[in-house]
Each structure stands twice: as structure tokens, then as C-alpha cells.
Amino acid sequence: MLYRTAGQFKSSYVADQALFPVRQDAILLTIILIFGWVIFPMTASEFTFQTLLIPILIYALAAMGLNILTGFAGQLSLGTGAFMGVGAYACYKMVTLFPWMNPIIAILLSGVFSAGIGVVFGIPSLRIKGFYLAIATLAAQFFLVWLFEKWAWLYNYNASGAIQVPNLEMFGVFVSGPQAASVTEYYIVLFVVTLLTLLCINLTRGNLGRTWKATRDMDIAAELIGINLMKSKLTAFAVSSYVVGVAGALYVFMWKGAAEPNVFDIPLSFQVLFIAIIGGLGSIMGNYLGAILIVGLPVVLNVVAGTKVFEISAPSAILLVALIAAATFLFWVARNLWGVGAALGFGVVTLVYGYAQLQGFRIDSALIEHINVMIVGALIIFFLIIEPHGLNQLWRLIREKLIIWPFPH
Amino acid sequence: MLNDIFIAPFVDMVEAPDFLMQVLWEGLVSGILYALIALGFVLIFRSSRIFNFAQGIMVVFAALTLVGLFAMGVPAWISVGLTLGVMFVLAVVIERVVLRPLVGQPDIILFMATIGITLFLIGFGETIFGGENKVMITEELGIPTGDTVLEPFGGLLILQHLDITVVIVATLLVAGLLAFLNYTQMGRAIRALGDDHQAALSVGISLQTIWVLVWFIAGIIALVTGIAWGARAGVSFALEVIAYKALPVLMLGGLESITGAIVGGLMIGILEKLFEIYWGQPLLGGNTETWFAFVLALIVLLFRPQGLFGERIIERV
């Protein structure tokens, strides 16, 4: 009903190929941008900035970088974490060697280094394919993390072996380091992420993006119609590693504040891969949806399990119920009964657990950690089963159904 | 510099042959364990084209279940039997809940699903048995723990009895597995499925049964590996790192080849130890074992993209 496209006629190819052929999409995006740029920064608490808003944006950016390589160009990579590390270490070296450098410029430049290294490790992709390539990228993963640990020059020979973010100033305001305010950090992350998202959307829609997709769908066929595979694969590695490197620099400079080499170890790579796959390979928006789920879910689980939801704040309980109701409705619109069941099930479990907590029932916090890991694993499998093509596909189905709603066909 | 790289290590090897033999022996033992993990993996990959990332965690999970059951007061050998039962149930559940709904999806989706299984098993194991490090019940299982000291070339060579047992058991396990695959009906069905899914289905081989079977065999292998690694390094989810070691083994040997898994495992086990002792520690600051195997496999792959023993990749348009 709200998504009705009646009356929106396209009278030229340009209009048909526009970024938003349906007007409601543009309106929706505007609303999201207003929330992101104005409403969230005005209302969010320190906790929300640090556990939800900033990490979601950074993880979404990293997943977008990986998605360009894996989703658009079809080259499976398990080395994302290490490339984030390259970006972070490059940025650290730059701001310590040239303290006068503008932090945003340093962050954007740090991606160039990871792009270079990405191209080097991308060269085997010209010969090695599929899972063999995936394991080959693990060589980059393990080798680079080892290098971060052993090459003392990278962390300026300090005793801890970790990189510490110094206080960085821009126009008289601290933008990074211990003294920076969360809001400032958030705005910088948001600015960089918006910029790169725009870049990625247009790259994947353009000539380069079409070459990547042809390579992904069948590389030999692509070669036969005249696509230079070497150029296609290596540009994919370069662009992907650039975005991932910038995400890594943001990860340390705008969020963590300090990082040891093992932060960039393989669990980080997998987390980013989860986001890209749960979100949907070959999509841009999916990365955001995936990041909201993968980063947001443990926080929600912790809040639900760790505090007495229904006792402490009625608003949070109402919000939870509203979210569950919305999810149920959207799944129902998409005729996805598994999804409806899951959303309702989650709601019932939360209610029962909340009631049990009111009665004084407690779970040990270490146990909650373990259960959290278990639930995340189960959810990954669950989402793969209900929609193997990711949340982006789920949203597309929902959107299609909404356009013709209330009619089924 | 060149001397340090190309001459000095070999001089060291020749001057202290007993130490070299010790290094080779330790490399051989860890190589066998890598090979075992890779073997479970190859079986699953051949019969279902699933890149089973959870193989490493199954090792830990099996060991954890064994130790956990023993801690609950079950006698050692009965807990081995019960653990096998648990691995069987696990195989059935994975096939029914995870694999069956995902049949026919792209490879990467199934790969992701096995990572989901990995996380689930980590959480599940820790929830039930606790997250702390545990000691493998070596003595209760009757595994010898002493060592034998040999003196070749007037030097010292220490062979842990545990390691000798591991080598013997692993050899028997592999021999048994090969016999099973070659001489029984079930084993031949597994191989048929590996060759051609459609043809195998059309002669009446049940895909579901075989999948449960290969996951169960992978579970048995995981238990043996888990006992062996657990006895050497304690049982905790830190053992997970050995799972990553199986990946370059597979890459080197080829994803479909059982021979490849064994040869690749031994090669990587021995070469990475040699590299670490003679090149890594003196020249690169040590701890090169984390990446050496991957880089070695990567170099081999540049020349043979399907691994040493993998099926030749034929592409058609």
C-alpha cells in the first residue's frame, strides 16, 4: 500500500536505469539517512554509540569490501581480518610519522596500502580457483598477522606490541584517541562509510562492476567475450582490499582505540564473512542488514539475559515487543512461515525468560557467554536455511509483496 | 646472509644427526595427526562436495565429550563407547537439520553452514562441559606414557611412547578405513557417490544414509585425533587451531584425494618442523608454524592448481 508504484512511469532509459527507479526507495533511504545523520547522534547514549552504532557501521563497511570480492567478483576470501590489520597498521604508521596529517586523509590513504598488499595476494587467483583460493587467502591471513607481531617497526618498538591510538586533532576538536567524544567518532565513521558506500554502489553498477559479475558467473565465458580476467580479478582485489583496509583503520582508530595483532586473527575474518553472507552476497544493502544482525544480536541477547528487561525499563520492553511484531509482520507478508515462527518463538522465549527473572531466576554470566555463541551459530544455520541468498533477498521479497499488498499476486 | 639461509642450516643438520632425527620424528607425529583431520575432511568432501569446516571442532568436541563423561563418573572405556554414540547422533542431527534443507545450494552456503555448526558446537560444548582446559584421561584408557631413549650416532633420540602409540593407531585406522572403502558394500557406495552423484543415486544408493555414514566416520576419526592431541596438549577449544592446519594439507594433497591427505599431512608436518627449527627460529624470530604450511601449499598450488593428487580440473563453457 505504502509501496505502490502505480503512476510512476519511465519515459526514458535513463529514468529506468536510475539509482532509485521506485520513488519510495528514495524516500526510505532519505528517512534512514536522516536517522543516521541527525536523530541517532542526538539521542544515542555512550553505550549505544560504542556497542551498536559505530561497530555496525564499521563491520558493514568491511563486509562491503569483502562482498565486492566474493559477492561481485566471485573470489572467496578468508583473509579479511588481516587486510583490516594492514589498514590499521598503515594508518598508525602514518599518523605517528606525520603527526600533522589530517586524520580523515590518513584513514582514507591507509586503504591504499592494503589495496597494494591485496593485489599481491590476489595474483594466485589467476590460477587457483574456488575453495583452493579460499585456503590460499588464509596464507595471507596467517602470514600478515605473524608479521604484525614480529616486525617491531610496525608498532614503533613499544613494549606491549600493541598499537595505541594517539589523540588526534582536526580543526581544534579531538577526533580520535582517548579524549575524543563518541559523537565525533560516530560522525567521522558515518562520513567515511557514506562516501565509500556511494563509491561502491556506483562502481558495481558501472562497467567495472559488470566485468566483475561476468567473471563471477563464469570466468572462462567472460574471457571468451573479451574480458581481461587479470584486470578484472586484480581490480576486484584492489578495490575490495581498499575498502576493507579503510574499515580496519576505522576499527582501531574510531572504535577500539588500541589493538594487538591477534585482534586481526581469523575470527574477525569469519565475522565479516558471516555478515556478507547473511546479508546477501552480491548486494550493498545486505551488508548493513547483516551487520545489524551479527553485531546487534549478541548485544540484544546480553541485554535481554543480563538485565531484568521487564523490570528496569518499560520502554525497552515495549521496543522489543514492537520489533518482534514488526519482524513477524514482515515475514508474514513475505509468506515465510519459518521466519514467522522464529520471530514469535524468540518473543515467547524472551517473555518467559523475563518473567522467570522477575521471579528471581538467574543464569551465570559465563554460561550466558557460551549460550550466546551457541545461539549465534544456530541462527547462522537458521538464516541460511530460510533464505540462502541472505537478508537482502528477504527484503526484496518483502518489498515485492508490499508493492502489491493486500493482494497476494 | 646467504650463508645463513643456504648453508648453515644444512651444516647444522649434518653435524647433529640425532637432533635432526628428533625433529623429523616430531614432525612425523604431528604430520600424522594433520593427515587424520584432513582424512575426515576428504571423506565428507568427496561424498557431498561440502567443505566441512567443522572437522577441527568435531575433534575438540569428541575429546571434550569423552573427558566430560569420564568426569561424570562413567568408566573410561564405556565413555569412549558413549562418545561414539554421541558422534553418531551428531551425524544424524547434522544431516537431518542442516544438510538436508540445504541440498543443492551453492558451495559457499554449505561452507557457511559448517561454520555455523562450528560455532554451535563450541557454544554447546562449553555450555555442557565448561570452558576451562581439561586433561585427557590418558592412563585410564591404557595409553602408555613413558619414553624410550635411543642413541643413534652417539647422540640422543627420545621417543614418547604416546607418540609411538599414536603412529601405530593412526596407521591401523587408515588401513582399516582403506579396507572399508575398498572391500565393503557401504565403502564402495561412498566412493561411487564421490565419483558421480546422479549415477550413484540411479543405482539405488541412498544419499542420506551415506551422508550420515561419512559424518559418523569423520566423527570416529575426530575422536581418535582428539584423544591423541588431547594427551599431548590438553583438551580445550584452543585445539581448534589444529583444524586450520588441516586446510593447507588438503590444499597440498588435493581436496578429493585420500592419498593426498596422508602424503600432504606427513609432508607438512615434517617440513614445517624443519623450517621452524633450522630457518624460522634463527632467522625470522620463530613461530613460523602458523603460516609456513599455507605458504608452502600456496606455492605448490601455483604449479598444480588442483593440489598434488587432486582431480584434474576440467572446465567447459
Side-chain angles (χ1 to χ4, degrees), chain A residues 89-401:
Chain A
Y89 276 85
C91 193
Y92 177 71
K93 282 311 282 187
M94 270 192 287
V95 298
T96 47
L97 285 177
F98 315 109
W100 40 264
M101 202 177 215
N102 182 316
I104 293 188
I105 305 277
I107 286 173
L108 287 175
L109 271 182
S110 58
V112 175
F113 293 88
S114 60
I117 296 191
V119 169
V120 172
F121 280 99
I123 290 173
S125 73
L126 303 175
R127 255 180 92 71
I128 307 171
K129 287 171 189 169
F131 283 125
Y132 286 103
L133 179 67
I135 314 179
T137 56
L138 278 178
Q141 169 72 51
F142 286 104
F143 181 73
L144 289 171
V145 170
W146 175 83
L147 203 65
F148 298 152
E149 212 172 292
K150 296 289 175 189
W151 192 5
W153 179 79
L154 281 178
Y155 47 88
N156 289 347
Y157 305 99
N158 67 26
S160 63
I163 49 175
Q164 286 283 346
V165 176
N167 279 314
L168 295 177
E169 248 180 276
M170 196 169 84
F171 310 125
V173 183
F174 283 114
V175 294
S176 170
Q179 292 196 19
S182 289
V183 187
T184 334
E185 292 180 332
Y186 172 73
Y187 269 118
I188 289 179
V189 173
L190 190 62
F191 171 71
V192 173
V193 171
T194 315
L195 192 72
L196 288 184
T197 307
L198 199 64
L199 177 89
C200 287
I201 290 178
N202 282 319
L203 268 183
T204 50
R205 273 157 45 92
N207 187 24
L208 199 55
R210 289 198 297 273
T211 3
W212 289 339
K213 287 177 198 163
T215 313
R216 167 194 68 191
D217 290 343
M218 189 166 219
D219 56 354
I220 292 188
E223 201 174 8
L224 285 176
I225 58 168
I227 286 170
N228 183 344
L229 280 192
M230 186 167 93
K231 210 174 118 193
S232 162
K233 285 180 179 175
L234 291 187
T235 47
F237 266 96
V239 174
S240 156
S241 310
Y242 176 81
V243 175
V244 166
V246 171
L250 290 175
Y251 180 84
V252 174
F253 276 72
M254 297 295 152
W255 186 39
K256 290 277 180 180
E260 291 176 1
N262 61 16
V263 167
F264 303 107
D265 226 332
I266 201 155
L268 182 63
S269 302
F270 278 140
Q271 211 177 359
V272 175
L273 187 65
F274 287 149
I275 294 173
I277 291 184
I278 296 277
L281 286 174
S283 75
I284 299 288
M285 192 182 71
N287 301 308
Y288 289 91
L289 298 177
I292 290 171
L293 187 77
I294 296 282
V295 178
L297 189 77
V299 177
V300 172
L301 284 178
N302 266 329
V303 169
V304 169
T307 60
K308 294 175 262 176
V309 186
F310 295 95
E311 207 172 326
I312 286 186
S313 70
S316 75
I318 293 171
L319 186 69
L320 200 68
V321 172
L323 279 177
I324 290 167
T328 316
F329 174 72
L330 288 178
F331 277 124
W332 176 70
V333 169
R335 297 286 186 275
N336 195 325
L337 290 181
W338 280 98
V340 174
L344 286 179
F346 184 76
V348 170
V349 169
T350 318
L351 278 172
V352 169
Y353 184 73
Y355 180 73
Q357 275 188 330
L358 280 181
Q359 306 297 318
F361 174 74
R362 288 288 174 280
I363 298 181
D364 180 42
S365 70
L367 194 61
I368 287 177
E369 280 297 307
H370 303 329
I371 294 178
N372 259 352
V373 176
M374 199 163 98
I375 293 181
V376 171
L379 269 177
I380 287 170
I381 298 173
F382 176 75
F383 270 100
L384 289 177
I385 292 175
I386 60 165
E387 188 47 71
H389 299 291
L391 295 172
N392 185 57
Q393 175 71 8
L394 203 59
W395 164 243
R396 272 171 46 188
L397 287 177
I398 291 171
R399 182 172 162 274
E400 252 166 50
K401 297 277 182 185

Side-chain angles (χ1 to χ4, degrees), chain A residues 76 127 129 131-132 135-136 138-139 142-143 146 150 218 220 266 270 274 277 370 373-374 384-385 388, chain B residues 97 105 109 112 115 120 124 126 244 247 251 255 284-287 291 294 298 302-303 306 315-317:
Chain A
L76 183 55
R127 255 180 92 71
K129 287 171 189 169
F131 283 125
Y132 286 103
I135 314 179
L138 278 178
F142 286 104
F143 181 73
W146 175 83
K150 296 289 175 189
M218 189 166 219
I220 292 188
I266 201 155
F270 278 140
F274 287 149
I277 291 184
H370 303 329
V373 176
M374 199 163 98
L384 289 177
I385 292 175
Chain B
V97 177
Q105 295 295 345
I109 301 295
M112 267 335 270
I115 299 184
F120 183 82
F124 188 64
E126 284 183 334
Y244 300 133
L247 299 176
M251 210 159 78
L255 287 170
L284 294 170
N287 209 10
W291 55 266
F294 287 95
L298 186 59
L302 282 179
F303 295 97
Q306 71 276 35
E315 288 184 90
R316 291 191 185 86
V317 179

Side-chain angles (χ1 to χ4, degrees), chain B residues 37-59:
Chain B
I37 301 179
L39 202 60
F41 186 103
V42 165
L43 276 177
I44 291 178
F45 189 82
R46 274 176 65 105
S47 61
S48 54
R49 299 282 137 180
I50 292 171
F51 191 92
N52 176 25
F53 197 79
Q55 184 67 31
I57 228 58
M58 279 164 69
V59 170

Side-chain angles (χ1 to χ4, degrees), chain B residues 107-166:
Chain B
D107 294 345
I108 186 174
I109 301 295
L110 287 160
F111 169 61
M112 267 335 270
T114 63
I115 299 184
I117 296 174
T118 308
L119 283 184
F120 183 82
L121 283 182
I122 292 178
F124 188 64
E126 284 183 334
T127 305
I128 293 187
F129 303 111
E132 68 278 7
N133 207 335
K134 295 187 183 57
V135 180
M136 178 45 71
I137 43 171
T138 320
E139 283 177 23
E140 290 81 353
L141 289 173
I143 300 171
T145 47
D147 50 37
T148 305
V149 180
L150 298 179
E151 298 183 356
F153 313 111
L156 263 182
L157 179 60
I158 302 167
L159 303 179
Q160 300 283 342
H161 286 174
L162 173 69
D163 292 350
I164 300 174
T165 322
V166 168

